[in-house]
Amino acid sequence: MNFDQIHVKAETESGYLSDNSSINVYISSRADDSTVREINENFQNNKNNLNFNIISAGSPGYFDLDPIVIIEKPGNPLILYSKFNPNKVSEIIKDYLLENNPRSDLALCTLGQEKIENIPCIDDLPFFNIQNRIILRNCGLVAPENINHYILRGGFRGLSEVLKTDQAGAVDRLEKSGLRGRGGAGYFTADKWKSLQEQEGNEKYIICNASDSDPFSFTARILLSGDPYSVLEGMLISAYSTGACKCIITVDSEFKPDTEILASAVDRMKEYGLFGNSIMDSGFNCEIEIIESAVSLPSGEETALLRKLENKQPMPFLRPPYPEKAGLNGKPVIVNNIETFANITAVFQFGPDKISGIGTERSKGTKIITLAENGSAKYIIEIPFGTSLKTVLENYKSIVKDSGNIKAVQFGGPTGAYFLPDADIAVDYDEINKISVIGSGTLEFIFDTECAVETAMNKMIYLHDQSCGKCVFCREGTFQMAAILEDIAKGTGKPQDIDLLKEIADQMKTGCICQLGRTAANPVLSTLQLFRNEYDIHLKEKKCPFNRQ
Amino acid sequence: MSTIKFNIDGKDVEVRNGRSVLEAALDSGIYIPHLCYHEDLSPIGACRLCIVEIEGMEGLVLSCSTPAAEGMVVKTGSESIDASRRLAMELLLAGHPPDCGTCVKYLNCELQSLKQYIIGDHIRVRTRSKLIPVNADNPIFLHEPNKCVLCGRCVRACHELRGVGVLFYKKQGRETYIGTENGLSLAESGCRFCGACAEVCPTGAIMDKEEFAKGKSRKAALVPCRYACPAEIDVPKYIRFIREKNYSAAAAVIREKVPFPGVLGYVCDHPCEDVCKRGEINHPISIRNLKRYAVEHDTEKIWKEKSRKKDATGRKAAVIGSGPAGLTAAYYLCKQGHEVTVFEALPQAGGMMRYGIPEYRMPRDILDGEIKIIEDTGVEIKTDSKVESIDNLFDDGYEAVLVAVGAHKGQKLRIPGARSEGVLTGLDFLRDVNLGNEVNIGKRVVVLGGGNVAFDCARVAKRAGAEEVHIACLECREDMPASCDEIDQGEQEGICLNPSKSFKRIINEEKIAKGVEFLDVESLTFDEDNLPQVEVVDDSEHILEADTIIFAIGQQPDIPEEFDLDKTDRNLIELDSYTFETSREGVYAAGDAVSGTASVIEAIASGRKAASIIDKFLDGDGRIDEKLAPEAELQKCLGPDPDFAAMDRVEEVCVLPEERLMSFCRVVDEMDEASADYESKRCLQCDLRLSITPVKFWGNY
Ligand code: SF4
Ligand code: SF4
Ligand code: SF4
Ligand code: FES
């Protein structure tokens, strides 16, 4: 099937999505299952004679507002109802779907530009409006496994375009976007493409790390359960552009539902001739394989991931050899994370300007950020590079009133540095990498009732636990720091401990094989810098000023 | 080979291309501390001890994983190198037990040596005990995870070098250790027991259990079968050839050390099997049967191609006795170019191999064939030629004489009636049968003694027509000195065992033996001089009637007084164990005449040593070792095999007792090829470990 035929098929099967005379009810599936099921059933059972489509969509990422229902009614903008109650289903059907009362009392906002009385547009809502949702555009608005939905929202157009160009043209296009890998260090994606392209033969692979190795981060899960095709399309585009013959996508074996969605998505692609032989009748052949595996913090490292795919113990290895030369069983590969592939799709669907037009000088496009409090994710948002942490936090505070006084925020996952809430630091690879990491892009708060030493200690205990144990500075360094911090927290620390902490931290930065170890000291160094007085009080008064120990 | 030049610590060095900076430094005799690096393994950069500074490169660089390049300028020491290395070392030691003195690895430990080199004793970081239990449950290896510093060498050895992959980094609580998947035993996880892990471990964390190493040389500890063999036959090498179905090469390996491979395949008492490491896992390799299989399937006889005989030296040597020791010595002396004559008192050559060992245990054509080869080499064997005096030999122009007369004189106990008619010694009896003489033993035979010779006598008696054959011995059933095979096969053939019996007297009527009177043994112990102390049960006298009574309680050499040789109090030839010389110059001795009754392989080994010494005496170089077999391509990668440990020994197949009693035909059937293949695959290839590059300590640079 060529793209046109594919499009026709999608229209025939799921035309309601693009036809502006249908009523569509999108129910976000992320919330507590039973409630969502109840909402779903109530919509089904109260249909009466009214004709509307119920779509089990992925989550838009606003977990704090779950359950979320989005209603699309001809003539009106989409309305997002938050914290939706199953009991309200019959009311909304009666009032909004039958009559024309959008029930502003239940609504959060409208999506898109048009306005409805008494319901704010999302662009006018603080916090939500700092976003630019390119990668998450479909999350909440398509049934994730439904290929027709994806196609009707513009999917596979990018692939069909790229199949008409040559590889050099494709790399050019990607280069123009300025896209940098969303995984760790932020390599320019086009550079990786070029390296892979240069390798002889077609036994090259495109590998997508589609698991969140940072447990607080939700990037992979939100995309897999919300818009999996956008990732798969990005992989195919990469494969074509680099001459690779196979795409491998690795998922966390603990998240079965996400994997099932992905698996059925791949099946559907086969039906549409979107993988296997002669994709879109173009002569381009490519396989897709899904591999499930257990996830830990270091397993997200690209070299560790490759070992895992070789059925070896997932441990980071020294580079060189670089994966683009010899990665998987000696064959060249590109490893990118899931967000990068979704970005690639966007570049080819909307053009490179869509990405390059946003962000900073050297960090283009957007970044998906997870905001977590007390160990659970509350919001997953997508902000343009260059947005400062301060902006994010101020906006967040303005909508989440019940949270305590934020003392500091850790940005970048478990190995990220802590920042003060008013830190005027932009989310930008070059700027953040100077002090810390962008990592998983998670923002986690600590409140002013929490002890900085204890916080750092807990991070070190966690990181020591996560360390794969291979290199001495990571394994023993995290252990030492945890042990020293424990002493300080208990009031048994010694004055020279601070120097020892710094010495170990300093050596770890260059002495570890992988990013985890190299960045693991960030929480200690940053709390030392921000809250040195707390450390000193512990040492001098031999007890915790917060009376935590 | 291309080389590169670079500068290290101000010294210009040239090394072969393709080496890392660390390797290049070590190659040129400059030490850089290192721990996780091992010559045979890929570098992983885990220990950070090998850091150096390289001009033009930022920061501290891992020398183990940075390729040495032309023109590089390397510095192995500086303040920042030392500081970083010191901290790495401290961290490595943080969880390691501090008391080196109590560790078996003491003074052999790379970690200890590095500690001394880098930091001495002062540790600033928090130390701890990891508290992971010692694992002694596996055969052969002892795992002491608390001593592990996680250099990962064992893991790489197991995965990369051996392709087995059963060792992993594991976590227990907050500690990392090296272990198997799901805590399975090594056997369950598919370990090949190659020992690569223990070999590369720089600490005492994975070691051979002490019982294998204690008091042994490294080689004997690592490849016990080969070094338990008196002739040091390269067992793992020929087993490897058998696995490759290259039987001729296998036979050649055996031939390198012994001229009687065929005979040994039947009758060797296989001390190698007693120490075989496979026995720790389940049962030892059936080494003797594999040997027999290889030799009997050696169709190409490639050993002959490389077998050399030196040019004639014109020197003459005489060998008295044509047993395994004498013929072996004669064979090698002849190959050294000397003119050798063997004098044999009996009508045929072979000594005990012919006159002691019954034919059902070793077919005579095998022996004849191997003696023929010796004769074909140029050894002259004079049978029916008893040597009366050594002086005569010297007079006849022999410059060296080897006395290898064996121990052919059977002994009787001095108990009443021992001189009665119908009371024989085992050796006389066996010799008569083997000579083909008519033996008249009657219907009931009692053999006194519990060793292999006793069983030989009993089983021969059965074949010679006795209807009821008993064996009686002092020892209890479990302690009988005969080999298990003998006992089992004897019992199958209907021999009655009467263990724990003390022999009181031989009953006779008119000097003709009628039976034996026994007492039951209450306990049997040995005093410091190894003399038996017997306690009998009071009033337990009882009689076993018999027509023939055979003493099989040991034998002695019968050295004529005319030889004029000093003897020990056990009637053995007095010998300088180092020079093999007797009390007379130019006269040497070997075999049972020196050692007392021993095995064929010991006699052969002793013949070899004697040959080498006599060769030197005759102005040769004494080098009798030969290279007959091709070099074996070592397959260092073993691959995983979850069923490996469970592979059970191929048991010998015996001909049915009813059938084998009909004749003197061999009792043990030949192995089939599938069994030989299977059995050879069970071998742990203990010698593979010797091919791992040894590590040099800093003191050696
Ligand atoms: S296979 Fe060899 S290296 Fe691996 S655990 Fe067993 S003995 Fe050690
Ligand atoms: S057991 Fe020995 S070789 Fe293996 S990681 Fe530990 S110290 Fe290294
Ligand atoms: S396993 Fe093989 S090499 Fe090891 S002792 Fe036994 S026969 Fe010899
Ligand atoms: S020897 Fe180079 S890091 Fe261990």
Side-chain angles (χ1 to χ4, degrees):
Chain A
M1 270 190 271
N2 62 28
F3 183 67
D4 291 336
Q5 292 163 325
I6 288 172
H7 215 267
V8 169
K9 185 167 155 80
E11 284 277 6
T12 333
E13 287 178 17
S14 307
Y16 55 87
L17 206 70
S18 53
D19 145 22
N20 42 20
S21 64
S22 312
I23 303 178
N24 297 324
V25 175
Y26 303 91
I27 303 172
S28 157
S29 66
R30 143 73 204 191
D32 166 41
D33 260 324
S34 62
T35 323
V36 170
R37 211 175 313 122
E38 215 182 319
I39 295 174
N40 213 315
E41 279 161 14
N42 290 355
F43 269 109
Q44 291 286 2
N45 299 338
N46 289 295
K47 261 188 167 178
N48 299 328
N49 291 329
L50 191 63
N51 198 3
F52 61 86
N53 306 297
I54 302 168
I55 295 153
S56 292
S59 168
Y62 310 141
F63 295 166
D64 217 22
L65 304 177
D66 276 338
I68 289 173
V69 172
I70 299 172
I71 297 179
E72 180 175 35
K73 193 175 171 195
N76 283 345
L78 282 82
I79 302 176
L80 186 152
Y81 298 91
S82 60
K83 301 207 167 146
F84 198 80
N85 187 326
N87 302 332
K88 303 282 183 201
V89 170
S90 53
E91 291 176 33
I92 210 95
I93 293 181
K94 190 162 132 283
D95 295 346
Y96 184 40
L97 300 189
L98 281 171
E99 314 288 328
N100 212 9
N101 171 7
R103 290 295 300 267
S104 55
D105 57 323
L106 301 176
L108 177 76
C109 62
T110 62
L111 305 176
Q113 305 303 319
E114 297 142 82
K115 306 223 160 56
I116 290 186
E117 225 189 304
N118 289 331
I119 304 182
C121 165
I122 191 157
D123 290 343
D124 297 329
L125 273 189
F127 183 67
F128 298 94
N129 66 358
I130 62 172
Q131 298 191 87
N132 189 341
R133 289 173 74 97
I134 300 171
I135 305 311
L136 299 178
R137 64 192 176 279
N138 291 333
C139 291
L141 292 173
V142 292
E145 68 290 335
N146 190 323
I147 192 168
N148 297 326
H149 286 189
Y150 180 67
I151 294 166
L152 295 172
R153 296 243 187 268
F156 294 116
R157 177 166 292 121
L159 176 64
S160 84
E161 300 274 304
V162 84
L163 290 177
K164 288 178 206 146
T165 61
D166 60 1
Q167 294 183 353
V171 176
D172 239 29
R173 199 173 161 122
L174 185 68
E175 200 160 24
K176 277 206 195 96
S177 74
L179 182 67
R180 295 173 76 167
R182 298 295 189 249
Y187 293 113
F188 284 95
T189 311
D191 289 346
K192 282 199 184 186
W193 275 22
K194 282 188 219 157
S195 309
L196 191 65
Q197 221 181 49
E198 282 164 13
Q199 304 302 313
E200 305 271 309
N202 79 335
E203 259 193 84
K204 316 179 199 175
Y205 309 110
I206 300 294
I207 296 171
C208 172
N209 179 6
S211 44
D212 295 306
S213 49
D214 164 7
F216 294 149
S217 159
F218 264 87
T219 311
R221 280 171 275 175
I222 206 94
L223 283 170
L224 281 182
S225 62
D227 195 16
Y229 292 102
S230 72
V231 179
L232 294 166
E233 184 181 356
M235 294 180 72
L236 288 175
I237 293 173
S238 307
Y240 174 78
S241 310
T242 55
C245 67
K246 184 169 176 180
C247 298
I248 298 172
I249 177 163
T250 67
V251 291
D252 188 338
S253 49
E254 269 192 32
F255 296 103
K256 291 285 175 211
D258 296 354
T259 312
E260 279 160 24
I261 292 175
L262 187 65
S264 71
V266 170
D267 283 348
R268 290 302 303 252
M269 280 171 72
K270 181 131 210 152
E271 243 174 77
Y272 283 67
L274 284 165
F275 89 86
N277 284 340
S278 196
I279 292 170
M280 289 191 187
D281 298 339
S282 68
F284 164 54
N285 307 332
C286 191
E287 295 300 319
I288 300 179
E289 187 183 356
I290 304 172
I291 294 186
E292 291 177 71
S293 62
V295 166
S296 65
L297 209 46
S299 76
E301 247 326 278
E302 86 180 350
T303 51
L305 187 83
L306 289 167
R307 294 297 90 78
K308 189 153 70 177
L309 294 178
E310 290 172 349
N311 276 323
K312 297 189 182 133
Q313 201 167 12
M315 291 195 141
F317 271 74
L318 286 178
R319 282 172 295 204
Y322 288 93
E324 293 82 56
K325 294 229 163 69
L328 183 62
N329 296 316
K331 301 282 184 261
V333 302
I334 283 181
V335 183
N336 275 136
N337 85 344
I338 187 165
E339 190 179 347
T340 314
F341 285 109
N343 268 285
I344 291 172
T345 305
V347 169
F348 287 85
Q349 184 170 336
F350 306 115
D353 303 347
K354 179 87 174 181
I355 302 297
S356 65
I358 306 170
T360 63
E361 182 64 32
R362 283 172 45 87
S363 299
K364 300 294 186 193
T366 59
K367 179 77 193 96
I368 299 175
I369 302 275
T370 306
L371 291 105
E373 244 183 61
N374 300 322
S376 73
K378 293 200 166 248
Y379 286 96
I380 294 117
I381 56 171
E382 184 179 348
I383 54 169
F385 275 106
T387 311
S388 77
L389 289 183
K390 185 174 154 200
T391 312
V392 176
L393 290 177
E394 277 172 358
N395 274 281
Y396 177 74
K397 287 225 62 158
S398 74
I399 61 151
V400 186
K401 304 253 162 34
D402 54 354
S403 87
N405 269 335
I406 297 175
K407 172 172 178 169
V409 52
Q410 187 184 26
F411 178 61
T415 65
Y418 283 90
F419 296 93
L420 293 179
D422 57 357
D424 199 7
I425 177 155
V427 176
D428 171 281
Y429 282 109
D430 300 314
E431 201 164 326
I432 298 271
N433 281 351
K434 270 187 237 153
I435 6 176
S436 177
V437 279
I438 288 194
S440 61
T442 309
L443 273 170
E444 204 201 348
F445 309 109
I446 53 170
F447 298 99
D448 57 7
T449 48
E450 293 177 69
C451 164
V453 178
E454 192 193 12
T455 303
M457 172 188 88
N458 287 334
K459 284 290 162 196
M460 283 307 118
I461 292 176
Y462 172 74
L463 289 174
H464 178 255
D465 189 58
Q466 290 289 311
S467 165
C468 79
K470 188 166 163 181
C471 57
V472 60
F473 277 117
C474 176
R475 179 185 72 243
E476 298 294 335
T478 49
F479 182 93
Q480 279 303 321
M481 290 203 282
I484 296 170
L485 290 166
E486 198 180 327
D487 283 348
I488 299 178
K490 275 196 313 220
T492 55
K494 292 168 283 190
Q496 65 268 34
D497 281 345
I498 302 286
D499 286 339
L500 192 53
L501 278 178
K502 285 186 180 158
E503 184 183 337
I504 295 170
D506 196 44
Q507 294 289 347
M508 285 176 71
K509 281 189 197 162
T510 50
C512 295
I513 297 173
C514 83
Q515 198 65 10
L516 166 64
R518 281 191 216 132
T519 56
N522 282 334
V524 177
L525 287 175
S526 56
T527 50
L528 256 176
Q529 202 202 358
L530 300 178
F531 307 107
R532 176 62 192 258
N533 60 327
E534 277 183 39
Y535 280 84
D536 288 341
I537 294 172
H538 282 88
L539 287 169
K540 273 202 209 91
E541 297 178 5
K542 308 228 165 285
K543 65 181 189 37
C544 174
F546 295 83
N547 291 321
R548 312 261 313 183
Q549 295 274 334
Chain B
M1 189 189 312
S2 66
T3 61
I4 53 156
K5 292 202 186 84
F6 74 109
N7 184 288
I8 178 160
D9 288 342
K11 221 172 109 182
D12 285 318
V13 296
E14 186 167 349
V15 293
R16 73 191 142 98
N17 205 353
R19 302 287 275 169
S20 67
V21 172
L22 174 63
E23 290 166 329
L26 298 177
D27 288 353
S28 2
I30 295 168
Y31 179 71
I32 301 175
H34 56 276
L35 180 66
C36 64
Y37 164 83
H38 185 283
E39 171 82 46
D40 301 345
L41 306 170
S42 64
I44 54 168
C47 76
R48 297 288 300 186
L49 296 182
C50 68
I51 42 172
V52 293
E53 283 167 14
I54 298 176
E55 260 182 40
M57 292 194 190
E58 207 188 310
L60 303 175
V61 182
L62 292 179
S63 63
C64 67
S65 38
T66 308
E70 183 69 39
M72 242 178 195
V73 179
V74 180
K75 235 165 83 183
T76 68
S78 75
E79 219 170 278
S80 69
I81 292 175
D82 296 346
S84 178
R85 184 178 287 153
R86 188 192 158 83
L87 184 61
M89 192 67 215
E90 285 184 65
L91 291 174
L92 282 168
L93 291 169
H96 187 84
D99 40 353
C100 289
T102 58
C103 177
V104 187
K105 196 92 174 186
Y106 184 58
L107 296 182
N108 253 323
C109 172
E110 284 177 56
L111 187 70
Q112 187 193 8
S113 141
L114 281 162
K115 176 181 167 193
Q116 284 161 358
Y117 185 84
I118 298 170
I119 54 172
D121 276 330
H122 181 61
I123 295 186
R124 297 166 301 161
V125 300
R126 307 286 199 269
T127 55
R128 69 185 187 280
S129 173
K130 293 191 195 166
L131 302 175
I132 307 175
V134 171
N135 181 354
D137 296 343
N138 292 302
I140 306 177
F141 308 116
L142 183 70
H143 287 216
E144 283 197 63
N146 290 338
K147 294 182 179 168
C148 171
V149 289
L150 295 155
C151 67
R153 283 196 202 167
C154 55
V155 175
R156 277 171 288 153
C158 189
H159 290 249
E160 295 173 5
L161 216 52
R162 295 291 179 253
V164 181
V166 300
L167 294 181
F168 295 96
Y169 292 81
K170 293 262 129 198
K171 291 255 183 170
Q172 175 170 320
R174 287 170 65 189
E175 298 292 359
T176 310
Y177 71 101
I178 301 294
T180 54
E181 208 64 277
N182 303 321
L184 294 179
S185 69
L186 284 177
E188 290 164 318
S189 32
C191 169
R192 309 288 303 255
F193 297 91
C194 65
C197 49
E199 185 63 26
V200 298
C201 179
T203 70
I206 300 183
M207 283 195 298
D208 297 290
K209 289 187 175 168
E210 236 181 310
E211 63 252 40
F212 299 107
K214 223 181 184 148
K216 288 194 190 170
S217 73
R218 178 175 144 82
K219 281 180 169 178
L222 296 190
V223 195
C225 53
R226 176 168 186 188
Y227 296 95
C229 174
E232 296 194 359
I233 299 177
D234 195 342
V235 177
K237 185 169 176 183
Y238 75 75
I239 294 184
R240 188 167 291 125
F241 279 128
I242 294 174
R243 200 167 43 242
E244 290 162 10
K245 301 203 170 23
N246 188 347
Y247 307 120
S248 198
V253 174
I254 304 164
R255 268 265 166 205
E256 288 178 349
K257 299 287 188 187
V258 295
F260 291 105
V263 169
L264 289 170
Y266 282 89
V267 300
C268 186
D269 68 339
H270 51 67
C272 51
E273 293 186 22
D274 300 342
V275 295
C276 169
K277 280 199 184 169
R278 176 84 211 192
E280 298 301 310
I281 299 165
N282 50 9
H283 302 287
I285 303 294
S286 193
I287 300 176
R288 183 181 68 197
N289 284 330
L290 282 176
K291 176 185 284 126
R292 172 171 156 191
Y293 188 86
V295 173
E296 294 191 347
H297 292 81
D298 174 11
T299 42
E300 294 134 59
K301 306 265 187 284
I302 60 162
W303 67 271
K304 289 189 173 166
E305 293 162 16
K306 295 211 187 119
S307 176
R308 295 276 173 273
K309 187 177 166 186
K310 289 193 182 152
D311 294 342
T313 59
R315 318 285 293 261
K316 280 173 72 179
V319 174
I320 309 173
S322 67
L327 286 181
T328 300
Y331 176 68
Y332 288 110
L333 282 171
C334 176
K335 284 168 73 80
Q336 295 298 93
H338 310 302
E339 198 179 300
V340 189
T341 312
V342 178
F343 298 91
E344 171 56 57
L346 290 167
Q348 276 186 285
M352 275 299 175
M353 295 187 288
R354 185 180 304 277
Y355 294 110
I357 297 168
E359 196 171 352
Y360 62 83
R361 281 218 281 141
M362 190 247 301
R364 291 300 180 253
D365 53 337
I366 305 253
L367 177 63
D368 294 340
E370 293 185 333
I371 294 177
K372 171 100 185 1
I373 290 173
I374 293 171
E375 286 182 299
D376 290 349
T377 312
V379 174
E380 187 189 358
I381 304 179
K382 293 191 171 159
T383 50
D384 285 322
S385 311
K386 192 165 166 71
V387 173
E388 300 296 349
S389 132
I390 291 178
D391 293 332
N392 293 348
L393 293 175
F394 283 131
D395 291 345
D396 289 345
Y398 294 103
E399 293 174 67
V401 176
L402 177 68
V403 183
V405 295
H408 285 260
K409 199 164 89 182
Q411 287 168 291
K412 290 182 183 174
L413 279 184
R414 291 168 205 243
I415 52 172
R419 289 169 191 270
S420 315
E421 198 175 306
V423 181
L424 312 172
T425 69
L427 280 191
D428 291 338
F429 169 66
L430 291 174
R431 185 180 319 115
D432 270 345
V433 174
N434 284 321
L435 276 166
N437 297 344
E438 186 77 25
V439 289
N440 201 346
I441 49 171
K443 289 206 181 333
R444 282 191 292 189
V445 174
V446 176
V447 180
L448 302 179
N452 284 338
V453 176
F455 276 86
D456 285 346
C457 292
R459 296 173 67 187
V460 168
K462 195 93 192 181
R463 285 170 174 74
E467 281 166 15
E468 191 181 318
V469 179
H470 288 268
I471 281 183
C473 62
L474 268 182
E475 297 86 358
C476 62
R477 175 75 168 80
E478 294 73 43
D479 294 342
M480 285 172 73
S483 75
C484 299
D485 291 355
E486 284 292 320
I487 299 174
D488 291 347
Q489 291 172 11
E491 280 197 303
Q492 288 162 8
E493 292 171 9
I495 312 284
C496 308
L497 302 187
N498 302 270
S500 298
K501 301 286 179 206
S502 164
F503 322 140
K504 191 172 178 202
R505 62 187 176 111
I506 309 283
I507 315 282
N508 56 7
E509 271 168 33
E510 299 174 4
K511 296 220 157 83
I512 298 177
K514 291 290 174 210
V516 191
E517 185 172 1
F518 295 118
L519 280 163
D520 287 335
V521 172
E522 167 90 54
S523 77
L524 172 66
T525 51
F526 292 87
D527 68 6
E528 298 114 53
D529 298 326
N530 214 19
L531 294 172
Q533 305 292 309
V534 185
E535 266 183 56
V536 295
V537 181
D538 291 340
D539 303 325
S540 61
E541 287 88 349
H542 55 284
I543 291 171
L544 197 58
E545 288 181 9
D547 305 313
T548 301
I549 292 139
I550 302 175
F551 277 102
I553 54 164
Q555 47 266 345
Q556 283 188 345
D558 189 10
I559 319 282
E561 284 309 319
E562 300 74 38
F563 281 16
D564 198 15
L565 294 173
D566 287 356
K567 285 185 239 170
T568 68
D569 47 8
R570 287 171 62 210
N571 251 329
L572 306 171
I573 298 176
E574 183 94 59
L575 195 71
D576 180 329
S577 60
Y578 188 66
T579 63
F580 268 55
E581 249 182 90
T582 63
S583 51
R584 294 185 60 176
E585 209 204 326
V587 181
Y588 299 82
D592 285 1
V594 178
S595 57
T597 317
S599 61
V600 175
I601 185 66
E602 274 171 295
I604 292 174
S606 132
R608 280 177 61 88
K609 283 198 196 104
S612 160
I613 285 166
I614 294 171
D615 181 44
K616 279 194 204 147
F617 178 74
L618 298 176
D619 300 323
D621 58 9
R623 273 193 239 133
I624 59 168
D625 271 334
E626 296 179 281
K627 273 219 88 31
L628 305 176
E631 269 316 310
E633 177 79 27
L634 283 190
Q635 192 46 272
K636 291 182 186 159
C637 183
L638 301 170
D641 183 354
D643 303 323
F644 181 70
M647 290 172 84
D648 211 349
R649 178 174 161 117
V650 175
E651 284 309 333
E652 298 185 328
V653 185
C654 293
V655 181
L656 288 177
E658 307 81 65
E659 257 171 65
R660 61 195 196 221
L661 280 176
M662 311 280 286
S663 70
F664 281 87
C665 281
R666 61 182 174 201
V667 166
V668 178
D669 247 347
E670 204 194 0
M671 256 182 169
D672 57 18
E673 181 157 33
S675 307
D677 181 58
Y678 181 89
E679 193 60 25
S680 65
K681 287 192 173 124
R682 292 178 63 231
C683 175
L684 310 181
Q685 307 191 51
C686 301
D687 62 337
L688 263 192
R689 191 163 153 186
L690 298 175
S691 62
I692 294 176
T693 312
V695 174
K696 275 213 280 178
F697 288 36
W698 59 267
N700 302 329
Y701 283 88

